[in-house]
Amino acid sequence: MSSNHFETNAIRGQMKRTEQREHSAPLFMTSSFVFPGPEQMELAFQGSADDNIYSRYSNPNTDELIQKVCSMEGAEDGFALASGMSAVFASMAAFLKAGDHVLASRAVFGSTHQILTELLPRWGITHSYVDPLDVGSWAAHLQPSTKMLVLETPSNPGLQLIDLEAAGDFAKAHGLVFNVDNCFATPYLQQPGRYGAGLIVHSATKWMDGQGRVLGGIVVGKADLIEELRFFCRHTGPAMSPFNAWVLSKSLETLSVRMDRHCANALEIAKWLEARPEVERVHYPHLESHPQYALAKKQMKHGGGIVAFDLKGGLESGRQFLSHIQMCSLSSNLGDTRTIVTHPATTTHSKLSEADQTAVGIGPGMIRVSVGLEHVEDIRQDLAQALEA
């Protein structure tokens, strides 16, 4: 059944039932599949038959997950990978060769920064960082060998936004593969494919799972690009396990419900933090004080589940705050039912130089809060006592 409604497709987008007539999709924990005869096996290896061969290539559980995310993102095809960073890496490595050049937003996740600055140069692939807030300045960084545009919006952790419509127009005008990390927004809040993104990347470990249980990554997008990505992944092996795909597919059934609550709690916490004397500045896309509030309202259904704020007093204040957290979790993860607090400057983005941290809006006193599903008053009370300690 196909519906015009996100929630219905997330729940009813299941694989075909087996002869057991199960209501919930079964788990196919198998490394390989058998064939009724040599002819069918030969056709499968030639690509002429739509058969499962080996779970490194495809599996009914990963197929179901991919189809759900494609439906959510309005994408043509996809591939599920073992982790979010394997998805980020594959979305670049599958399309780049020695001599190629990448344009990337300066505000990207720390491990994405390491791929661009430390790993891809080993194979002769260079990059230039561009200002995420000034699309008009990007053309100055183009080179004859520029092949891909890599963006992340909202950014981690500064919650800077990129105008996806302007970015899509830029990528199309210059013939670039348009690659968007949509992890923070999820397909429920934002669909980059509407703006021309050919590749849309997620760490399914985060909001898609939503309960901190499994690792996973997924790339969806245009069919011709995914075919090239599939070839790369088939022969390099970063496949998602069937069990993780089964868990994630079930998790997606509640994505919209969870994100509505995450976003409602986050907005309330963000507004409350703005009034706190210990706080210098709050970053949240759907706060009217956010410098890109109008853009956030245009391209995001809600403001997301992440709130970042800068404490007065810098690094020492950040450490002091974290040392007094009681209920909330200290973890580098995000997108969990449980509220998580992190100090990006010394954890997730510690590999960036101080200058690079400053350039992407990470101050020494910045705290990132992944706002969970607890009662919002309990979240507020824990943050308050840590601020006042």
Side-chain angles (χ1 to χ4, degrees):
M1 172 183 174
S2 180
S3 166
N4 292 325
H5 297 98
F6 183 100
E7 297 86 348
T8 302
N9 287 332
I11 292 168
R12 292 292 174 179
Q14 289 183 279
M15 67 179 73
K16 186 178 179 180
R17 287 193 178 102
T18 73
E19 66 277 5
Q20 301 300 323
R21 304 188 305 280
E22 67 281 343
H23 190 221
S24 183
L27 174 57
F28 288 85
M29 285 295 289
T30 180
S31 58
S32 61
F33 301 83
V34 297
F35 298 89
E39 296 83 4
Q40 188 73 5
M41 191 173 186
E42 183 178 351
L43 288 172
F45 274 85
Q46 291 174 350
S48 303
D50 188 20
D51 283 318
N52 290 307
I53 299 172
Y54 193 57
S55 284
R56 174 158 55 89
Y57 309 160
S58 65
N59 176 283
N61 295 118
T62 54
D63 289 347
E64 180 181 283
L65 174 65
I66 290 164
Q67 289 163 14
K68 280 190 179 183
V69 179
C70 284
S71 173
M72 292 174 170
E73 290 282 12
E76 295 171 352
D77 200 359
F79 195 86
L81 299 97
S83 70
M85 286 317 303
S86 64
V88 171
F89 178 70
S91 75
M92 291 187 264
F95 303 95
L96 301 171
K97 63 182 185 305
D100 284 342
H101 174 256
V102 179
L103 285 187
S105 166
R106 183 172 295 280
V108 292
F109 180 55
S111 291
T112 306
H113 172 76
Q114 295 296 311
I115 289 172
L116 290 164
T117 60
E118 300 293 335
L119 296 179
L120 293 183
R122 296 180 184 181
W123 300 294
I125 301 165
T126 59
H127 77 283
S128 296
Y129 277 138
V130 295
D131 184 347
L133 308 182
D134 185 9
V135 178
S137 68
W138 293 1
H141 299 276
L142 284 167
Q143 299 180 12
S145 58
T146 305
K147 186 169 183 180
M148 179 176 284
L149 175 64
V150 175
L151 306 178
E152 177 183 313
T153 181
S155 68
N156 178 8
L159 300 174
Q160 295 178 338
L161 272 63
I162 296 171
D163 187 329
L164 285 170
E165 183 175 12
D169 290 344
F170 175 86
K172 183 177 180 181
H174 298 285
L176 306 179
V177 176
F178 186 19
N179 184 345
V180 179
D181 185 331
N182 198 33
C183 174
F184 263 33
T186 80
Y188 181 58
L189 304 183
Q190 174 177 276
Q191 297 87 38
R194 293 184 177 183
Y195 305 98
L199 297 169
I200 304 155
V201 181
H202 289 276
S203 172
T205 311
K206 309 302 191 294
W207 307 105
M208 284 188 172
D209 176 25
Q211 295 171 70
R213 298 170 297 185
V214 298
L215 295 177
I218 190 163
V219 184
V220 299
K222 296 179 179 177
D224 59 333
L225 295 176
I226 297 300
E227 187 59 32
E228 200 165 344
L229 178 86
R230 182 178 292 108
F231 174 83
F232 176 86
C233 293
R234 177 170 175 159
H235 296 291
T236 56
M240 179 184 287
S241 88
F243 176 78
N244 287 14
W246 178 78
V247 170
L248 289 164
S249 186
K250 295 300 293 181
S251 298
L252 288 178
E253 295 183 10
T254 61
L255 179 64
S256 61
V257 178
R258 290 185 284 105
M259 290 310 299
D260 281 340
R261 176 61 68 85
H262 282 298
C263 294
N265 281 358
L267 180 59
E268 190 167 337
I269 292 296
K271 289 179 176 179
W272 171 77
L273 283 167
E274 277 199 309
R276 295 292 307 195
E278 305 91 346
V279 175
E280 185 174 317
R281 183 183 175 191
V282 180
H283 311 263
Y284 187 70
H286 275 209
L287 274 183
E288 292 185 16
S289 59
H290 193 287
Q292 297 169 289
Y293 174 72
L295 177 62
K297 295 289 283 188
K298 171 189 172 184
Q299 66 187 34
M300 293 180 67
K301 181 182 178 73
H302 301 305
I306 300 292
V307 177
F309 61 96
D310 298 305
L311 284 169
K312 295 175 183 177
L315 183 62
E316 190 52 42
S317 292
R319 287 173 172 160
Q320 183 78 0
F321 172 81
L322 290 181
S323 69
H324 286 89
I325 284 293
Q326 295 177 2
M327 181 193 77
C328 300
S329 305
L330 301 187
S331 173
S332 62
N333 197 25
L334 60 93
D336 202 311
T337 54
R338 302 163 184 83
T339 297
I340 295 171
V341 293
T342 307
H343 185 241
T346 58
T347 58
T348 57
H349 290 71
S350 60
K351 299 301 182 184
L352 275 66
S353 67
E354 187 175 336
D356 285 338
Q357 288 182 4
T358 301
V360 297
I362 301 173
M366 175 178 274
I367 302 295
R368 186 189 75 188
V369 184
S370 174
V371 182
L373 302 181
E374 305 97 340
H375 194 285
V376 70
E377 184 57 31
D378 292 324
I379 302 171
R380 184 163 40 218
Q381 285 184 7
D382 194 29
L383 298 180
Q385 63 83 25
L387 287 169
E388 295 163 1

